[in-house]
Amino acid sequence: MIVLDDVSYSYDGRTPALDGVSLRIPDGEFLCILGGNGSGKSTLAKHLNALLVPDAGTVLVDGIDTSDPEYVYDVRARVGYVFQNPDDQLVATLVADDVAFGPENLGLDPALIGERCEESLDEVGLTGFGRREAHALSGGQKQRVAIAGVLAMHPEVLVLDEASSMLDPRGRAGLMRVCRELHGQGMTVVMITHDMEEAALADRVAVLHRGRIALEGAPLDVLPRASELAHLNLAVPHACRLSLALAERGVAVGPEVDEGALVDRLAQMAAHPAAGAGTGAGEGAGARPDAVDLDPAVPRSQRDPGGAPAPGPRSDDGAPAPGCADPAAGDAPCLRFDHVSYSYERSVRERARRRRLPRRGRRAAWGSDPDAVWALHNVDLAVRPGELLGLAGHTGSGKSTLIQHMNGLVHPTMGRVAAFGADLAGRRAAADVKTRVGLVLQYPEHQLFAQTVSEDVAFGPRNLGLPADEVGARVRAALDRVGLSVDELGDRSPFTLSGGQQRRVALAGVLAMRPEVLVLDEPTAGLDPAAHRAMLDLVARLHAQGLTVIMASHDMDDLAELCDRVAVLNEGSVLRLGSPAEVFSDGEALRRVGLGLPSAQRIACALARRGVPVRTDALHDIDGLADELAPILKGGAR
């Protein structure tokens, strides 16, 4: 279906983004393309439907040369492309009009276009959203509209460029289900992702590095190669990390990349434990010399800078967990939400009336209600000084809306938001809070605008009216806090930096304002595993320095590792609030609202359902789960 022969491409005529790439994609294959940020993945993907044409070499799509301008229409009719950022792809005001845009340009009959639009919106879990305004949707909902618009064209090839990065766990699972169904029907699927669990489901993976193919093969051949992947800024799947950790403990389990397959194997080994006994750490049949370091047993947010455990999580009522001190005891909340409700609709009464009409059996399959009146509904929440609070919730649950209330970007339709004791309904308090609560939105690199890094970071402090020497000192200090050097990068354009560096510069611009509270909306979305890890380390370090941090994320592993407390939103309301151990103790409740469990906890629960005597009442990490499983699999505990 697709042939790339010695393809090279450069954006500036000097630095190659692709450097001699040769790749063949058979008709009906499910190919996953991996690589660190800046490795050339998106550049390669844009060559597949003639958005870019090679400087050297050839790209053929179904035998058509993409560099021939006469056949561009034919190439793009065959290859549907979903961008990483849906705002780069949405073109119409209403959802239905946006989904219809592609089929209309194919010249299809209007009745057929309507059928395709309904079918595509149903496939991505947005049944009933056709008359909604696209700009008012959440980031994840916009992404699903973009996917529906491509599916409505019925392409022969589907190219997904990090299309799952803004989706919640249920949305990711739904997208993978759609991809597998389309693949089963004969469609060629090319998925670019940093999610190694998604890569494990492909027929073949290709790993790019500096514009070249560094690794290529079946997932089971490529994904367990931990040391090689680490050098390429990638990681191994969670199932593989657990199998490697067990091998280090003398359990003869080979590396496995698929969670379901690993659970099956471990359940069989637990039933016949003698077969799993190895001769020592790293000496089992599944041991590999290139195993990577695994998660620490104690979450980073519960360690002080010297490495000792810090005061632990708190319970729902705000009291410290048994045996834990409460450093915030007696402190007034820095942020408080009292019965806060918010609607984006101009006429709440009219929406409420329409909501009472018969639903005709419609149900939003991916956790979104097309007739919802409230983006937030009766939210009560207090943020304690010095804590790291996580926000979880399905796509459209209200996380971003809640965040925008925290520094007065929007004001509640009903209820009250207070910051440092002052009601943000007051004009002076609303102005003051913007200097004390720093907000970093989704894709913070889109906040960059200045000609140089230094000018961009200096924008906020300069608008505070600070003297030039103080502005310069803040710029240097803020860049230093995010691990960047003003001497090396200060005079460079922020748009020439890597994705991870751009995100750090945007964060530095907020930190230069010296906020007391830092609010992060999906700070790791779209980052490769190495940059993802670096961002988490940065957040943990800022928190350890005394900053109050609020972090919204779809990654349950991140929330379990870093947070003191987690608030789970569902359809605009707070469903659960407590320590990670408390919140993740009920996997079924989280699954019902489109979320999931951290990877180790998810595997532990799956094993328990298969009769393996592993604890599910404690929050596991990979190392802790391996420690508990090793004696069971060796026969020391039954």
Side-chain angles (χ1 to χ4, degrees):
M1 176 56 74
I2 297 176
V3 177
L4 294 90
D5 187 14
D6 199 24
V7 171
S8 295
Y9 182 83
S10 174
Y11 289 97
D12 60 7
R14 299 186 302 273
T15 307
L18 296 178
D19 188 8
V21 172
S22 294
L23 184 67
R24 277 151 180 76
I25 306 173
D27 186 15
E29 182 178 51
F30 190 161
L31 173 69
C32 182
I33 299 177
L34 300 170
N37 292 121
S39 62
K41 303 186 301 300
S42 293
T43 304
L44 174 61
K46 290 173 183 175
H47 277 77
L48 302 184
N49 76 337
L51 282 173
L52 298 175
V53 294
D55 295 332
T58 58
V59 179
L60 302 178
V61 174
D62 200 15
I64 303 172
D65 190 334
T66 62
S67 63
D68 189 337
E70 184 178 349
Y71 294 102
V72 169
Y73 177 92
D74 299 88
V75 169
R76 293 179 182 166
R78 287 168 169 79
V79 181
Y81 191 106
V82 181
F83 289 86
Q84 177 178 352
N85 184 357
D87 289 321
D88 295 337
Q89 192 157 1
L90 302 184
V91 296
T93 301
L94 298 181
V95 167
D97 293 341
D98 202 281
V99 177
F101 182 80
E104 285 174 346
N105 279 276
L106 294 177
L108 300 181
D109 181 83
L112 180 58
I113 291 174
E115 292 177 8
R116 287 197 180 186
C117 288
E118 289 189 12
E119 174 189 90
S120 299
L121 286 172
D122 183 61
E123 280 203 291
V124 299
L126 291 178
T127 301
F129 275 73
R131 306 311 298 171
R132 292 284 297 273
E133 295 183 356
H135 73 88
L137 301 180
S138 71
Q141 289 170 331
K142 289 179 181 179
Q143 187 63 282
R144 285 149 60 183
V145 172
I147 296 168
V150 171
L151 293 180
M153 297 177 68
H154 288 194
E156 297 176 46
V157 180
L158 178 61
V159 179
L160 301 162
D161 188 359
E162 288 285 349
S164 66
S165 62
M166 293 305 299
L167 299 182
D168 58 36
R170 178 161 51 190
R172 285 176 180 263
L175 176 60
M176 293 306 297
R177 173 188 55 77
V178 170
C179 288
R180 288 196 299 269
E181 289 176 355
L182 295 172
H183 175 234
Q185 297 166 10
M187 182 181 288
T188 304
V189 179
V190 180
M191 173 174 280
I192 295 172
T193 183
H194 291 135
D195 190 306
M196 307 307 284
E197 277 61 43
E198 294 175 354
L201 300 176
D203 297 332
R204 183 165 58 110
V205 297
V207 182
L208 286 184
H209 181 61
R210 296 181 179 176
R212 293 176 174 267
I213 294 180
L215 297 172
E216 184 180 357
L220 192 56
D221 295 330
V222 174
L223 299 184
R225 298 160 72 169
S227 289
E228 293 176 74
L229 291 175
H231 286 300
L232 302 174
N233 292 334
L234 298 175
V236 298
H238 297 301
C240 190
R241 295 174 63 210
L242 179 58
S243 59
L244 291 171
L246 288 169
E248 291 177 346
R249 289 156 176 79
V251 179
V253 54
E256 182 57 73
V257 299
D258 180 73
E259 277 190 20
L262 178 63
V263 168
D264 289 341
R265 183 179 301 181
L266 295 180
Q268 292 172 3
M269 293 173 64
H272 306 284
T279 57
E283 296 179 16
R288 292 184 64 91
D290 55 355
V292 294
D293 291 336
L294 303 175
D295 288 342
V298 179
R300 291 177 183 271
S301 64
Q302 296 183 25
R303 293 176 176 269
D304 65 22
R314 303 177 180 94
S315 61
D316 287 3
D317 62 3
C324 295
D326 186 358
D331 291 345
C334 49
L335 292 171
R336 179 180 288 279
F337 291 75
D338 293 320
H339 308 298
V340 169
S341 296
Y342 183 81
S343 174
Y344 288 97
E345 300 295 333
R346 295 177 182 176
S347 174
V348 175
R349 288 185 178 180
E350 173 62 17
R351 271 306 267 184
R353 185 191 67 79
R354 290 172 55 191
R355 190 178 188 185
R356 290 193 292 268
L357 296 177
R359 294 287 298 278
R360 299 190 302 278
R362 287 201 312 239
R363 180 173 179 80
W366 290 8
S368 306
D369 182 356
D371 293 323
V373 176
W374 301 105
L376 296 176
H377 180 63
N378 200 30
V379 171
D380 289 300
L381 181 67
V383 181
R384 305 186 184 102
E387 78 169 330
L388 201 164
L389 175 69
L391 297 178
H394 58 76
T395 297
S397 64
K399 300 187 300 298
S400 295
T401 304
L402 182 71
I403 279 173
Q404 291 173 50
H405 281 76
M406 293 182 177
N407 75 341
L409 278 181
V410 297
H411 297 280
T413 306
M414 294 189 294
R416 174 180 180 269
V417 179
F420 309 100
D423 190 337
L424 295 188
R427 182 176 299 179
R428 179 175 297 179
D432 177 64
V433 75
K434 290 178 174 58
T435 65
R436 304 180 70 180
V437 177
L439 178 57
V440 183
L441 299 173
Q442 292 175 354
Y443 297 112
E445 54 270 28
H446 294 168
Q447 298 174 211
L448 303 176
F449 63 93
Q451 291 186 340
T452 69
V453 168
S454 292
E455 290 176 4
D456 207 289
V457 178
F459 180 80
R462 189 171 290 134
N463 278 276
L464 292 177
L466 300 175
D469 56 345
E470 174 65 15
V471 171
R474 288 200 179 195
V475 169
R476 180 175 293 275
L479 286 171
D480 183 64
R481 291 184 79 179
V482 300
L484 299 177
S485 169
V486 67
D487 297 324
E488 295 178 6
L489 300 178
D491 293 330
R492 286 184 57 180
S493 166
F495 305 106
T496 65
L497 305 180
S498 69
Q501 288 175 320
Q502 288 184 340
R503 194 158 296 190
R504 286 169 177 260
V505 170
L507 179 55
V510 174
L511 293 176
M513 301 282 288
R514 303 275 173 88
E516 298 168 55
V517 179
L518 179 64
V519 185
L520 304 168
D521 194 358
E522 298 285 354
T524 62
L527 297 181
D528 64 44
H532 185 129
R533 181 70 264 168
M535 179 59 69
L536 292 184
D537 289 342
L538 173 59
V539 172
R541 187 166 66 250
L542 293 172
H543 178 231
Q545 294 169 359
L547 200 61
T548 302
V549 179
I550 301 161
M551 182 175 76
S553 178
H554 285 141
D555 194 313
M556 301 301 107
D557 286 272
D558 293 351
L559 297 177
E561 177 185 347
L562 289 181
C563 296
D564 301 315
R565 290 192 302 158
V566 176
V568 178
L569 296 185
N570 178 46
E571 297 183 0
S573 299
V574 177
L575 177 70
R576 299 202 67 176
L577 175 64
S579 70
E582 293 165 333
V583 168
F584 294 123
S585 64
D586 190 350
E588 180 59 25
L590 295 175
R591 186 194 64 78
R592 286 195 299 268
V593 298
L595 301 179
L597 293 173
S599 54
Q601 193 73 6
R602 185 172 62 242
I603 295 173
C605 290
L607 289 170
R609 289 193 296 268
R610 296 289 299 273
V612 180
V614 60
R615 292 183 60 193
T616 59
D617 58 345
L619 185 59
H620 293 280
D621 61 12
I622 292 291
D623 253 356
L625 181 58
D627 287 338
E628 186 172 344
L629 281 174
I632 297 173
L633 299 177
K634 292 181 185 180
R638 293 301 305 279

